[in-house]
Amino acid sequence: MLPVIPINDESVNQKSVVLYKKSQHQKNVLSCLYQEGACTLARLAETIHTSVPSITNLIEQLTSNGWVNTIGTATGNSGRRPVLFGLKPDGHYVVVLDISTHGTGLMIINPVRQIIFQHTTAHGLADKEEYLDFLVQFVTETLANSAIPQSDILAIGLAMPGLIDTNRGLNLTYPNLKKADQSLTEWLEQQLSIPAYLINDTKATALGENRFGGGQGKKHALSINIDWGVGLGIILNGEVFQGASGFAGELGHIQVDPEGELCYCGKVGCLDTITSASSLVRRVQQAVLSNRVSKLSAFQEDVSQITINHVIEAAHQGDSFAIDLLHETGYQLGKGLSIAVNLFNPEIIIVDGVLAEAAIFITNPIEQAINKYCLSGFRKELTIEVTKLNGTAKWLGTHAYVMENLFTAFDR
């Protein structure tokens, strides 16, 4: 009979505690270097609340396994300049897949958030019957063309629209995105032999803004993604709020008009039917066909050519019709956001997506509606601004989501 080892053996428990603390410190060092870019030993010790000798030992270990290297010295005019350490830019690559209804983008990104290789295609979720087979072929061929060894790829991060169950690796909006009884992530991992992580595109955008954009340093923030649908990313206590099933933030599907249009989700009068870019373009097309006076009347012969960019450009040129439509869209968004403001009490709201280019034509009416529909205490410290990340928030957030999950593996 095998001897029974007491689970409260003091030496075993002490060793486990030491190993756990070490893995926690490794994770914190990597997270700090990822977030800040470069740090001295003193700065790292201060940030993760440990001693400089302990940090020195951790940096030596992380350097030996290829995660960290020296990147120069800190600026200063007197005394010996301390050495700066950062994540090594070579190796440990992450593949980010930016997937939408009408296209797929692939980027290979290094640990210091530089795009090493990228490729896009017009093949998207609209071709959902054979999309998964296409996706595997697309990733395989693109990786081969990049000349980057697959052994240097740590993981794949997928950002896509829809109801994403991150725990089970499923997209419930697109149920065909799975094979047999396997989740999307499980099937991709099996096909590509690379770990896969799945996140909703709006939540990825919110995470990117929080880590590297206007939400940096904010514990509580909202990121409104106004694209062909309307999504809300929620940051609570510095982390993306997922909700019980991962569905939190579907602002576009709150009802704002009980007598309104039928939404693609099957409900009537959703915010999406009034404020999404696709609904805005549709209203413009109908107005142009009805001989509404506007610069956009130039498209009367073929209104299908009108895009959201044309509407925004007309507004910036002073077209009153375009300005009025954007104002109404922003005001309705503000009414919807006022509910979220009263619920989550954010420090900042960041406007992202295709309508972010409308700038004050969208943010001003959003602010007006929030001022009208929110209690004054909620408005006092709240700021509303357009993203400064110029369309990069989504892939930055997807990369951060993957890297932070990988760093957490040091705990195990």
Side-chain angles (χ1 to χ4, degrees):
M1 185 175 179
L2 293 174
V4 176
I5 301 176
I7 61 173
N8 61 346
D9 183 277
E10 187 175 348
S11 63
V12 173
N13 286 341
Q14 287 178 346
K15 185 176 181 180
S16 298
V17 169
V18 169
L19 289 174
Y20 176 74
K21 284 185 176 179
K22 179 181 176 182
S23 65
Q24 275 286 91
H25 286 329
Q26 285 181 328
K27 169 196 170 184
N28 292 337
V29 167
L30 290 171
S31 296
C32 183
L33 293 176
Y34 177 70
Q35 189 77 28
E36 298 194 18
C39 288
T40 63
L41 294 175
R43 170 64 177 161
L44 286 169
E46 178 186 2
T47 301
I48 70 173
H49 309 293
T50 189
S51 66
V52 171
S54 295
I55 284 294
T56 302
N57 184 48
L58 286 170
I59 287 293
E60 288 175 353
Q61 294 172 9
L62 291 169
T63 299
S64 67
N65 64 26
W67 270 102
V68 173
N69 63 1
T70 59
I71 58 174
T73 56
T75 57
N77 297 321
S78 61
R80 184 178 178 182
R81 295 180 182 180
V83 176
L84 287 170
F85 295 91
L87 295 180
K88 189 176 179 182
D90 302 324
H92 298 117
Y93 301 116
V94 168
V95 173
V96 168
L97 289 169
D98 181 2
I99 300 170
S100 68
T101 305
H102 301 293
T104 302
L106 183 151
M107 288 168 280
I108 301 175
I109 302 169
N110 69 9
V112 295
R113 302 186 300 280
Q114 296 170 331
I115 299 174
I116 304 302
F117 189 87
Q118 62 182 324
H119 182 50
T120 59
T121 174
H123 202 112
L125 292 172
D127 312 290
K128 53 190 174 186
E129 291 299 330
E130 17 86 37
Y131 183 75
L132 279 186
D133 293 327
F134 154 77
L135 187 62
V136 169
Q137 181 181 359
F138 176 66
V139 172
T140 302
E141 291 178 356
T142 304
L143 289 181
N145 292 333
S146 73
I148 294 175
Q150 186 165 322
S151 58
D152 287 346
I153 304 294
L154 286 181
I156 294 176
L158 299 90
M160 60 172 64
L163 297 177
I164 304 293
D165 186 331
T166 54
N167 294 324
R168 294 190 295 158
L170 297 173
N171 188 327
L172 302 189
T173 302
Y174 298 91
N176 290 334
L177 291 181
K178 70 174 190 175
K179 296 281 188 175
D181 295 326
Q182 290 181 300
S183 69
L184 172 58
T185 50
E186 288 172 340
W187 187 78
L188 281 175
E189 288 175 358
Q190 185 182 77
Q191 297 297 310
L192 299 169
S193 300
I194 304 172
Y197 297 87
L198 177 64
I199 186 171
N200 170 269
D201 56 357
T202 297
K203 291 181 175 64
T205 299
L207 186 60
E209 292 288 354
N210 181 255
R211 298 298 191 260
F212 311 110
Q216 197 168 13
K218 308 290 187 183
K219 289 291 186 181
H220 308 287
L222 300 178
S223 177
I224 179 77
N225 189 21
I226 318 167
D227 220 300
W228 302 112
V230 178
L232 182 69
I234 305 164
I235 300 292
L236 294 181
N237 294 315
E239 299 299 330
V240 175
F241 179 61
Q242 298 279 5
S245 303
F247 305 154
E250 285 296 326
L251 186 72
H253 296 291
I254 63 170
Q255 190 183 65
V256 292
D257 184 3
E259 305 299 323
E261 298 178 20
L262 177 68
C263 182
Y264 67 88
C265 74
K267 306 296 188 291
V268 173
C270 291
L271 189 65
D272 258 8
T273 65
I274 297 175
T275 61
S276 66
S278 54
S279 67
L280 180 59
V281 169
R282 188 168 59 251
R283 292 202 304 278
V284 170
Q285 291 171 342
Q286 292 169 352
V288 169
L289 287 174
S290 300
N291 297 315
R292 179 64 186 261
V293 176
S294 167
K295 290 180 180 293
L296 296 166
S297 298
F299 293 94
Q300 194 169 35
E301 295 299 320
D302 187 3
V303 294
S304 66
Q305 298 298 312
I306 298 174
T307 67
I308 189 62
N309 292 329
H310 291 130
V311 179
I312 294 171
E313 183 181 357
H316 283 296
Q317 292 175 354
D319 185 82
S320 60
F321 170 61
I323 291 171
D324 287 345
L325 272 179
L326 288 172
H327 185 277
E328 177 61 20
T329 299
Y331 194 80
Q332 292 297 331
L333 280 168
K335 287 174 67 175
L337 280 168
S338 66
I339 298 172
V341 169
N342 284 330
L343 288 173
F344 298 110
N345 188 24
E347 303 163 74
I348 188 171
I349 296 175
I350 302 170
V351 178
D352 214 319
V354 294
L355 281 186
E357 293 294 324
I360 60 172
F361 295 117
I362 282 290
T363 55
N364 281 356
I366 287 175
E367 189 169 359
Q368 289 170 12
I370 287 175
N371 286 338
K372 180 176 180 179
Y373 294 103
C374 287
L375 297 172
S376 59
F378 289 85
R379 306 191 311 259
K380 189 174 181 181
E381 303 297 330
L382 177 64
T383 58
I384 302 169
E385 64 180 48
V386 172
T387 180
K388 297 180 178 67
L389 291 180
N390 298 319
T392 64
K394 189 196 303 183
W395 71 255
L396 283 170
T398 307
H399 188 257
Y401 180 71
V402 173
M403 294 296 282
E404 290 172 10
N405 271 282
L406 292 173
F407 294 157
T408 300
F410 280 84
D411 294 349
R412 303 183 185 129

